[in-house]
Amino acid sequence: MARKGTIEKGSRTALVTGAGSGIGRCMARRLAELGYRLILAGLDPAKLEAAAEELHEQYGLAVEVIPIDLARPEAAHELFERVQALGREVDVLVNNAGAFSFRDILQTPVERIEKILCLHALTTTLTCRLFGAEMSRRGCGGHILNMASYSLWMPWPGLALYSASKSYLRGFSVAFAKEVREQNIRVTKTMQALGGKKLREYYDDVYAHCMVQDYIIDVNQAIDTYSPVYEKYISIDSEGIKYEGKK
């Protein structure tokens, strides 16, 4: 029996940014499991090629890579044009690429501020605009996932830039989702949080699986399936989150 959310192998295409490592790479793997062809975009060509080779060998699907710096004003248009040059129509867009910053604003180089705001706000907004318009034009619907962060609720010293940029992503995604709902385009924003390094690899994999289940399949199924497993590795008490063991 096919798992829920599975499509005819290779019949649809998913574009994942920041796909060379971490959550982005895990997202790509989960989408491949469901049968999606993949386009992996990101900054590091070597990591993208390694991910593409691994996914192609494991799932027998077409996997193409687009090395690109998305923290530039022209990046979204360039990405869109390069996807079109491949002859692909994107059914699922995962805007995962991001950069972290923990530094007071007055100590942050202006160039760093410009790049983070461009990557988190401008590039994500424009990829939603460009690929969303194509989804609407085709009339087949689609899915867009924007990666915000739990830190948007934490406008603390040192996080001013990062949390504000992620707060923008949340607000934009909520409003944009309502605008395109009648075109059968589903827009989801996610507010992940993560902690110690020894949980990171396991967290990325479980989190990616839950998000794919959530925005493409069914959130309740994801929670029922993965919460008992996840809870084996973390506990929360009055002192915060504690990490217990590793995979």
Side-chain angles (χ1 to χ4, degrees), residues 28-112:
R29 183 167 64 250
R30 296 306 184 188
L31 287 162
E33 287 178 358
L34 294 175
Y36 285 84
R37 291 187 304 253
L38 295 170
I39 302 172
L40 310 181
L43 191 59
D44 190 322
K47 288 183 178 180
L48 291 175
E49 291 290 352
E53 182 178 353
E54 173 192 317
L55 293 169
H56 175 69
E57 289 181 357
Q58 187 170 359
Y59 300 104
L61 290 158
V63 184
E64 293 159 305
V65 301
I66 299 179
I68 184 171
D69 179 2
L70 292 167
R72 297 174 297 125
E74 65 274 18
H77 291 280
E78 181 182 325
L79 177 62
F80 182 72
E81 290 169 1
R82 290 174 70 176
V83 169
Q84 289 207 311
L86 293 173
R88 299 296 190 195
E89 295 180 335
V90 172
D91 302 283
V92 173
L93 169 63
V94 180
N95 279 314
N96 169 73
F100 183 68
S101 178
F102 184 76
R103 184 181 291 185
D104 288 358
I105 289 294
L106 295 185
Q107 277 71 55
T108 305
V110 171
E111 295 79 7
R112 177 72 171 170

Side-chain angles (χ1 to χ4, degrees), residues 7 14 22 26-27 33 38 59 61 65 68 94 96-97 117 165 167 176 194 200 225 235 237 240 244 246:
I7 62 170
C26 292
M27 288 276 191
E33 287 178 358
L38 295 170
Y59 300 104
L61 290 158
V65 301
I68 184 171
V94 180
N96 169 73
L117 291 178
S165 66
S167 181
F176 183 53
L194 54 88
R200 178 61 186 265
T225 302
S235 63
D237 59 20
E244 302 172 345
K246 55 185 177 181

Side-chain angles (χ1 to χ4, degrees), residues 52-206:
E53 182 178 353
E54 173 192 317
L55 293 169
H56 175 69
E57 289 181 357
Q58 187 170 359
Y59 300 104
L61 290 158
V63 184
E64 293 159 305
V65 301
I66 299 179
I68 184 171
D69 179 2
L70 292 167
R72 297 174 297 125
E74 65 274 18
H77 291 280
E78 181 182 325
L79 177 62
F80 182 72
E81 290 169 1
R82 290 174 70 176
V83 169
Q84 289 207 311
L86 293 173
R88 299 296 190 195
E89 295 180 335
V90 172
D91 302 283
V92 173
L93 169 63
V94 180
N95 279 314
N96 169 73
F100 183 68
S101 178
F102 184 76
R103 184 181 291 185
D104 288 358
I105 289 294
L106 295 185
Q107 277 71 55
T108 305
V110 171
E111 295 79 7
R112 177 72 171 170
I113 294 173
E114 291 173 341
K115 280 184 171 293
I116 288 180
L117 291 178
C118 183
L119 179 59
H120 293 174
L122 181 61
T123 296
T124 299
T125 301
L126 289 179
T127 55
C128 286
R129 168 64 175 84
L130 295 167
F131 289 102
E134 277 297 291
M135 293 175 184
S136 176
R137 180 188 62 79
R138 296 197 309 269
C140 300
H143 300 273
I144 298 174
L145 176 62
N146 293 328
M147 302 291 283
S149 169
Y150 192 77
S151 68
L152 66 86
W153 304 114
M154 300 183 294
W156 297 341
L159 282 176
L161 176 60
Y162 185 76
S163 65
S165 66
K166 292 297 187 175
S167 181
Y168 167 81
L169 272 181
R170 176 183 178 274
F172 167 77
S173 298
V174 169
F176 183 53
K178 295 175 181 177
E179 292 177 355
V180 297
R181 183 167 49 197
E182 292 185 0
Q183 281 91 1
N184 197 30
I185 299 171
R186 185 175 180 187
V187 180
T188 305
K189 51 68 173 78
T190 170
M191 295 174 286
Q192 76 280 8
L194 54 88
K197 288 185 178 179
K198 70 179 182 179
L199 184 63
R200 178 61 186 265
E201 182 177 349
Y202 176 71
Y203 171 91
D204 285 350
D205 192 46
V206 171

